Amino acid sequence: MPITQNQGSTAGGQAVTVTGTDLGGATAVNFGTQPAAITGNTANSVSVITPAGAGVMGVTVVTPGGVGGPEPFFYLPPPVILSVSPGSGPVAGGSTITISGRSLASATSVQFGGSTVTPTVVSDQELTVVSPTGAAGAVALAVVTQGGTASTAFSFVDPPTATGFSPLTGLQAGGTLVGITGTNLLTTTGVTFGAVPATFAVLSDTQIAATAPAHAPGTVTITVTTTGGSDAAPGTFLYLL
Protein backbone atom coordinates (compact mmCIF):
# COMPACT_ATOMS: atom_id res chain seq x y z
CA MET A 1 0.00 0.00 0.00
CA PRO A 2 2.54 2.61 -1.13
CA ILE A 3 2.03 6.34 -0.73
CA THR A 4 2.88 8.64 -3.58
CA GLN A 5 4.82 11.61 -2.18
CA ASN A 6 5.43 10.09 1.26
CA GLN A 7 6.98 13.28 2.66
CA GLY A 8 5.32 16.57 3.48
CA SER A 9 5.12 19.68 5.60
CA THR A 10 4.47 19.55 9.33
CA ALA A 11 1.70 22.07 8.60
CA GLY A 12 -0.19 19.48 6.53
CA GLY A 13 -2.33 20.45 3.56
CA GLN A 14 -0.51 18.28 1.03
CA ALA A 15 -2.30 16.16 -1.55
CA VAL A 16 -1.14 12.53 -1.48
CA THR A 17 -2.48 9.27 -2.82
CA VAL A 18 -2.44 5.86 -1.16
CA THR A 19 -2.48 3.03 -3.71
CA GLY A 20 -3.28 -0.64 -3.29
CA THR A 21 -6.16 -3.08 -3.72
CA ASP A 22 -9.62 -3.36 -2.22
CA LEU A 23 -9.60 0.31 -1.21
CA GLY A 24 -13.06 1.12 -2.56
CA GLY A 25 -15.44 2.67 -0.07
CA ALA A 26 -12.66 3.77 2.28
CA THR A 27 -14.23 5.48 5.27
CA ALA A 28 -11.07 6.92 6.86
CA VAL A 29 -7.38 7.49 6.26
CA ASN A 30 -5.43 8.18 9.42
CA PHE A 31 -1.95 9.63 9.86
CA GLY A 32 -1.14 8.25 13.26
CA THR A 33 -4.26 9.23 15.19
CA GLN A 34 -5.04 12.22 12.93
CA PRO A 35 -7.68 11.77 10.23
CA ALA A 36 -6.98 13.05 6.73
CA ALA A 37 -9.58 14.61 4.47
CA ILE A 38 -10.49 12.15 1.70
CA THR A 39 -10.77 13.84 -1.71
CA GLY A 40 -11.08 10.83 -4.01
CA ASN A 41 -11.52 7.08 -3.84
CA THR A 42 -11.33 4.14 -6.26
CA ALA A 43 -10.81 0.44 -5.81
CA ASN A 44 -7.07 0.96 -6.16
CA SER A 45 -6.42 4.34 -4.57
CA VAL A 46 -7.47 6.88 -1.97
CA SER A 47 -6.54 10.55 -2.38
CA VAL A 48 -6.30 12.67 0.75
CA ILE A 49 -5.10 15.99 2.15
CA THR A 50 -2.58 15.42 4.92
CA PRO A 51 -3.29 16.66 8.44
CA ALA A 52 -0.65 18.49 10.48
CA GLY A 53 1.92 16.28 12.15
CA ALA A 54 5.54 15.74 13.10
CA GLY A 55 8.12 13.00 12.70
CA VAL A 56 7.15 9.68 11.13
CA MET A 57 3.48 8.72 11.14
CA GLY A 58 1.91 5.39 10.22
CA VAL A 59 -0.80 5.79 7.60
CA THR A 60 -3.75 3.42 7.75
CA VAL A 61 -6.76 3.09 5.48
CA VAL A 62 -10.09 1.97 6.96
CA THR A 63 -12.43 0.18 4.55
CA PRO A 64 -15.55 -1.95 5.02
CA GLY A 65 -13.29 -4.98 4.61
CA GLY A 66 -10.74 -4.01 7.25
CA VAL A 67 -7.75 -1.79 7.89
CA GLY A 68 -4.75 -1.52 5.58
CA GLY A 69 -1.30 -0.36 6.65
CA PRO A 70 0.41 1.19 8.38
CA GLU A 71 2.72 2.78 5.81
CA PRO A 72 5.23 5.47 6.89
CA PHE A 73 4.73 9.14 6.10
CA PHE A 74 7.57 11.51 6.92
CA TYR A 75 6.76 14.98 8.19
CA LEU A 76 9.50 17.46 7.32
CA PRO A 77 10.19 20.79 9.07
CA PRO A 78 9.96 23.93 6.92
CA PRO A 79 13.21 25.14 5.34
CA VAL A 80 15.26 28.02 6.76
CA ILE A 81 17.53 30.23 4.63
CA LEU A 82 20.51 31.60 6.55
CA SER A 83 22.54 33.09 3.70
CA VAL A 84 22.72 33.47 -0.08
CA SER A 85 26.16 33.93 -1.62
CA PRO A 86 26.52 35.96 -3.67
CA GLY A 87 23.33 37.87 -2.96
CA SER A 88 23.22 39.27 -6.48
CA GLY A 89 24.00 38.13 -10.00
CA PRO A 90 24.09 39.27 -13.62
CA VAL A 91 20.92 40.04 -15.54
CA ALA A 92 22.19 37.57 -18.13
CA GLY A 93 22.05 34.78 -15.54
CA GLY A 94 24.55 31.94 -15.32
CA SER A 95 25.94 32.75 -11.88
CA THR A 96 26.40 29.90 -9.39
CA ILE A 97 24.59 30.78 -6.15
CA THR A 98 25.11 28.98 -2.83
CA ILE A 99 22.16 28.87 -0.43
CA SER A 100 22.90 27.92 3.17
CA GLY A 101 20.33 27.06 5.81
CA ARG A 102 18.48 24.17 7.41
CA SER A 103 16.08 21.48 6.19
CA LEU A 104 17.08 21.94 2.54
CA ALA A 105 17.59 18.30 1.52
CA SER A 106 14.10 17.89 0.03
CA ALA A 107 14.31 21.05 -2.10
CA THR A 108 12.52 20.62 -5.40
CA SER A 109 12.94 24.11 -6.89
CA VAL A 110 14.29 27.61 -6.33
CA GLN A 111 12.30 30.57 -7.59
CA PHE A 112 13.89 33.87 -8.62
CA GLY A 113 10.86 36.10 -8.86
CA GLY A 114 8.85 34.51 -11.65
CA SER A 115 11.61 32.16 -12.85
CA THR A 116 11.97 28.63 -11.48
CA VAL A 117 15.19 26.61 -11.57
CA THR A 118 16.21 23.20 -10.24
CA PRO A 119 18.81 23.23 -7.44
CA THR A 120 21.64 20.83 -6.69
CA VAL A 121 21.29 19.51 -3.14
CA VAL A 122 24.75 19.45 -1.55
CA SER A 123 23.50 18.62 1.94
CA ASP A 124 20.62 19.38 4.28
CA GLN A 125 22.39 22.69 4.97
CA GLU A 126 23.40 23.72 1.45
CA LEU A 127 22.06 24.08 -2.08
CA THR A 128 23.70 25.40 -5.22
CA VAL A 129 21.76 26.81 -8.13
CA VAL A 130 22.54 28.60 -11.39
CA SER A 131 20.73 31.92 -11.58
CA PRO A 132 18.33 32.50 -14.49
CA THR A 133 18.09 35.68 -16.55
CA GLY A 134 16.22 38.56 -14.95
CA ALA A 135 15.55 42.27 -15.10
CA ALA A 136 17.78 44.52 -13.00
CA GLY A 137 16.45 44.92 -9.47
CA ALA A 138 15.50 42.94 -6.40
CA VAL A 139 13.34 39.81 -6.53
CA ALA A 140 12.18 37.24 -3.99
CA LEU A 141 14.34 34.12 -3.90
CA ALA A 142 12.21 31.23 -2.66
CA VAL A 143 13.39 27.72 -1.82
CA VAL A 144 10.57 25.20 -2.23
CA THR A 145 10.94 21.92 -0.32
CA GLN A 146 8.59 19.10 0.59
CA GLY A 147 8.47 20.65 4.05
CA GLY A 148 7.43 24.11 2.88
CA THR A 149 8.88 27.30 1.40
CA ALA A 150 11.38 29.89 2.65
CA SER A 151 12.10 33.24 1.00
CA THR A 152 14.75 35.92 1.01
CA ALA A 153 15.95 38.65 -1.36
CA PHE A 154 18.18 38.42 -4.45
CA SER A 155 19.18 41.17 -6.85
CA PHE A 156 19.83 41.06 -10.58
CA VAL A 157 22.61 43.48 -11.48
CA ASP A 158 23.44 45.22 -14.76
CA PRO A 159 27.03 44.76 -15.98
CA PRO A 160 29.50 47.41 -14.83
CA THR A 161 31.06 50.11 -16.97
CA ALA A 162 34.50 51.44 -16.02
CA THR A 163 34.79 54.90 -17.57
CA GLY A 164 38.14 56.16 -16.29
CA PHE A 165 40.77 56.28 -13.55
CA SER A 166 43.25 58.69 -12.01
CA PRO A 167 46.23 59.01 -11.68
CA LEU A 168 47.47 57.34 -14.82
CA THR A 169 50.88 56.30 -13.45
CA GLY A 170 52.41 54.75 -10.35
CA LEU A 171 55.61 53.19 -9.02
CA GLN A 172 56.45 49.55 -9.65
CA ALA A 173 56.53 48.97 -5.90
CA GLY A 174 52.80 49.64 -5.83
CA GLY A 175 50.92 51.65 -3.24
CA THR A 176 49.48 54.33 -5.52
CA LEU A 177 45.87 55.18 -4.65
CA VAL A 178 43.83 55.10 -7.84
CA GLY A 179 40.30 56.42 -8.19
CA ILE A 180 38.17 54.46 -10.68
CA THR A 181 34.92 55.86 -12.01
CA GLY A 182 32.06 54.16 -13.80
CA THR A 183 28.54 52.84 -13.37
CA ASN A 184 27.01 49.81 -11.62
CA LEU A 185 30.06 49.43 -9.38
CA LEU A 186 28.29 48.84 -6.06
CA THR A 187 28.67 45.03 -6.11
CA THR A 188 32.37 45.07 -7.06
CA THR A 189 34.12 41.87 -6.05
CA GLY A 190 37.56 42.48 -7.59
CA VAL A 191 39.89 44.99 -9.24
CA THR A 192 42.95 43.88 -11.19
CA PHE A 193 45.94 45.76 -12.61
CA GLY A 194 46.92 43.49 -15.45
CA ALA A 195 46.51 40.07 -13.88
CA VAL A 196 47.38 41.24 -10.37
CA PRO A 197 44.52 41.75 -7.88
CA ALA A 198 44.38 45.03 -5.97
CA THR A 199 42.92 45.93 -2.62
CA PHE A 200 39.95 48.24 -3.09
CA ALA A 201 37.05 50.00 -1.43
CA VAL A 202 33.67 50.66 -3.03
CA LEU A 203 32.83 54.31 -2.38
CA SER A 204 29.57 54.42 -4.33
CA ASP A 205 27.85 52.96 -7.35
CA THR A 206 30.06 55.21 -9.51
CA GLN A 207 33.42 55.24 -7.73
CA ILE A 208 36.02 52.80 -6.42
CA ALA A 209 39.31 53.53 -4.64
CA ALA A 210 41.99 50.93 -5.39
CA THR A 211 45.59 50.58 -4.24
CA ALA A 212 47.82 49.65 -7.15
CA PRO A 213 49.67 46.39 -6.45
CA ALA A 214 53.36 45.92 -7.18
CA HIS A 215 54.06 45.24 -10.86
CA ALA A 216 56.93 45.23 -13.33
CA PRO A 217 57.43 48.52 -15.25
CA GLY A 218 55.13 48.97 -18.21
CA THR A 219 51.46 49.45 -19.02
CA VAL A 220 48.55 47.39 -17.73
CA THR A 221 44.78 47.40 -18.07
CA ILE A 222 42.61 48.03 -15.02
CA THR A 223 39.61 45.69 -14.88
CA VAL A 224 36.65 45.88 -12.52
CA THR A 225 34.60 42.77 -11.72
CA THR A 226 31.16 42.91 -10.06
CA THR A 227 28.47 40.33 -9.48
CA GLY A 228 27.00 41.67 -12.72
CA GLY A 229 30.09 41.09 -14.89
CA SER A 230 33.45 42.68 -15.73
CA ASP A 231 34.70 45.70 -17.65
CA ALA A 232 38.12 47.13 -18.48
CA ALA A 233 38.68 50.85 -18.04
CA PRO A 234 39.72 52.73 -21.20
CA GLY A 235 43.43 53.44 -21.55
CA THR A 236 46.28 51.88 -19.58
CA PHE A 237 47.97 52.44 -16.24
CA LEU A 238 51.75 52.99 -16.50
CA TYR A 239 54.12 51.51 -13.93
CA LEU A 240 57.28 53.63 -13.74
CA LEU A 241 60.78 52.51 -12.90
Side-chain angles (χ1 to χ4, degrees):
M1 196 180 73
I3 304 172
T4 60
Q5 192 70 20
N6 68 345
Q7 302 179 92
S9 169
T10 54
Q14 180 174 325
V16 301
T17 300
V18 182
T19 58
T21 58
D22 300 321
L23 300 179
T27 57
V29 176
N30 297 317
F31 285 62
T33 60
Q34 299 298 313
I38 296 176
T39 58
N41 189 197
T42 69
N44 297 314
S45 69
V46 185
S47 298
V48 300
I49 302 298
T50 61
V56 183
M57 293 289 187
V59 178
T60 55
V61 178
V62 181
T63 71
V67 178
E71 292 291 332
F73 183 86
F74 302 88
Y75 280 99
L76 303 177
V80 175
I81 298 174
L82 297 178
S83 67
V84 175
S85 180
S88 58
V91 294
S95 181
T96 298
I97 308 299
T98 299
I99 302 168
S100 300
R102 297 191 300 270
S103 304
L104 304 179
S106 67
T108 56
S109 65
V110 176
Q111 299 169 352
F112 290 76
S115 299
T116 300
V117 296
T118 301
T120 297
V121 177
V122 178
S123 69
D124 199 45
Q125 292 79 42
E126 184 177 313
L127 307 174
T128 61
V129 66
V130 177
S131 64
T133 59
V139 298
L141 183 154
V143 175
V144 180
T145 74
Q146 293 179 11
T149 301
S151 298
T152 188
F154 181 85
S155 294
F156 286 101
V157 180
D158 282 320
T161 301
T163 57
F165 58 88
S166 179
L168 303 179
T169 63
L171 298 177
Q172 63 176 324
T176 301
L177 186 63
V178 179
I180 304 169
T181 56
T183 59
N184 302 319
L185 304 180
L186 203 58
T187 64
T188 297
T189 58
V191 177
T192 57
F193 285 64
V196 182
T199 58
F200 66 93
V202 178
L203 305 180
S204 70
D205 199 42
T206 59
Q207 190 171 10
I208 299 169
T211 301
H215 197 283
T219 58
V220 297
T221 299
I222 297 176
T223 301
V224 176
T225 299
T226 74
T227 57
S230 298
D231 191 45
T236 55
F237 182 83
L238 175 63
Y239 278 96
L240 303 171
L241 288 171

